[in-house]
């Protein structure tokens, strides 16, 4: 796991975030609706997990992400969006 802050990407645009994650083969986990629009406009990405703010507890999100990691190979997530 890598946070935006840890990656030094706090001031990067959403498109730059997706490009960085794609290059590093990382799935972006977000509450930001702008990523849905980027996905719809076919901006390339290594995968997006979108969740509505406060829809799940932190524990539920961690469990969801662990399960997703167990059942999905990295290449299966490319260009895919999952709703948590």
């Amino acid at each position: 796991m890598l946070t935006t802050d840890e990656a030094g990407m706090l001031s990067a645009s959403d498109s730059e975030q997706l490009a960085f994650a794609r290059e590093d083969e990382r799935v972006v986990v977000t509450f930001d609706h702008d990523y849905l629009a980027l996905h719809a406009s076919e901006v390339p990405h290594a995968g997006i997990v979108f969740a509505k703010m406060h829809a799940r507890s932190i524990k539920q999100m961690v469990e969801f992400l662990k399960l997703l990691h167990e059942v999905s190979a990295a290449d299966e997530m490319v260009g895919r969006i999952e709703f948590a």
Side-chain angles (χ1 to χ4, degrees), residues 30 35-36 39 45 47-50 77-83:
T30 185
Y35 285 84
L36 300 177
H39 173 75
H45 59 83
I48 298 171
V49 174
F50 176 81
M77 286 301 298
V78 173
R80 190 168 113 193
I81 191 162
E82 285 288 331
F83 293 89

Side-chain angles (χ1 to χ4, degrees), residues 5-78:
D5 186 28
E6 291 168 338
M9 300 288 292
L10 282 176
S11 62
S13 70
D14 295 341
S15 294
E16 291 170 328
Q17 300 276 359
L18 281 181
F20 174 84
R22 185 181 72 246
E23 290 170 13
D24 211 26
E25 299 180 343
R26 293 180 180 273
V27 172
V28 171
V29 179
T30 185
F31 302 108
D32 186 343
H33 287 85
D34 293 342
Y35 285 84
L36 300 177
L38 289 168
H39 173 75
S41 65
E42 300 183 5
V43 171
H45 59 83
I48 298 171
V49 174
F50 176 81
K52 289 184 178 180
M53 186 71 76
H54 306 296
R56 291 179 184 252
S57 69
I58 293 172
K59 179 182 178 183
Q60 289 170 323
M61 277 300 297
V62 169
E63 289 172 352
F64 176 84
L65 294 171
K66 282 174 52 177
L67 177 62
L68 184 62
H69 178 73
E70 291 171 6
V71 301
S72 299
D75 63 330
E76 294 175 322
M77 286 301 298
V78 173

